Structures are given as C-alpha cells and as structure tokens.
C-alpha cells in the first residue's frame, strides 16, 4: 500500500526468504500509450465458482508511469522506478 516496499529487482537472490510478499514477472515488451507504461484495474466479484458467476464493476482505474519507457538490456541495473512502475504513491515523487 502507498508504494511502500515496491522494488524492481534483477536477480532472484534479491527476494527475501523470510518476508512474505508478492512477486510479479516483468514484461520485457509492455503495452504503452504514447511511450508510457500503464496498468488497468477492473474490479470483479465472484459470487459462485460452480457454476461460475461474476459481476464486473462498470468503472475501473488506469494508472500511468511518469517517465517514458525505454527497453533495457537483460540483467541491466537500470532501476528507474518512475519508468517501470505505475503506482501513484511512487510516481508522485518523480517531479514530473
């Protein structure tokens, strides 16, 4: 929450073996809008799984990075959080 603990890592050894968390695979060729990475949140509630019954909320959320995305070489140490992440709490500190 609020961007605390968000890290861009390049090696599995950088993942804590003692703390819980979420790890996401990085897309090397992400979709961009005008050069900026984005994510979309669609809110869904599952009220039944057998049979499957879902309700999709009509409104969603789109977030953008604050720096243009540039493809980086594999194993690069480029950790420009503002280019890679779309989290508001992180990007409000980007100065853009």
């Amino acid at each position: 929450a609020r961007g605390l603990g968000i890290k861009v890592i390049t090696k599995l050894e950088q993942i804590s073996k003692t703390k819980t968390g979420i790890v996401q695979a990085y897309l090397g060729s992400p979709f961009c809008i005008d050069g900026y990475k984005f994510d979309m949140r669609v809110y869904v509630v599952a009220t039944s799984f057998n049979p499957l019954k879902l309700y999709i909320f009509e409104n969603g959320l789109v977030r953008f990075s604050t720096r243009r995305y540039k493809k980086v070489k594999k194993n690069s140490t480029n950790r420009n959080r503002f280019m890679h992440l779309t989290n508001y709490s992180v990007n409000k500190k980007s100065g853009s």
Side-chain angles (χ1 to χ4, degrees):
R2 299 185 324 267
L4 300 174
I6 294 177
K7 297 176 184 175
V8 177
I9 63 168
T10 56
K11 299 178 182 136
L12 287 175
E13 297 81 37
Q14 294 172 287
I15 299 172
S16 172
K17 292 179 178 42
T18 59
K19 296 180 182 176
T20 61
I22 296 173
V23 177
Q24 293 177 295
Y26 184 79
L27 296 176
S29 298
F31 290 118
C32 293
I33 295 177
D34 199 26
Y36 294 88
K37 285 179 68 174
F38 67 97
D39 67 21
M40 297 186 302
R41 287 189 184 181
V42 177
Y43 298 96
V44 178
V45 172
T47 58
S48 174
F49 291 98
N50 192 9
L52 183 61
K53 192 171 189 178
L54 304 173
Y55 293 91
I56 302 173
F57 188 60
E58 290 181 3
N59 296 324
L61 176 67
V62 178
R63 302 180 305 175
F64 287 87
S65 63
T66 53
R67 297 279 194 266
R68 287 186 185 272
Y69 176 77
K70 296 176 191 168
K71 189 166 182 139
V72 268
K73 294 180 182 177
K74 190 174 181 179
N75 298 325
S76 170
T77 57
N78 183 351
R79 297 180 187 201
N80 185 332
R81 293 165 48 114
F82 309 119
M83 174 178 75
H84 294 289
L85 303 175
T86 59
N87 182 284
Y88 169 75
S89 294
V90 169
N91 279 290
K92 71 181 181 183
K93 300 172 188 168
S94 75
S96 290

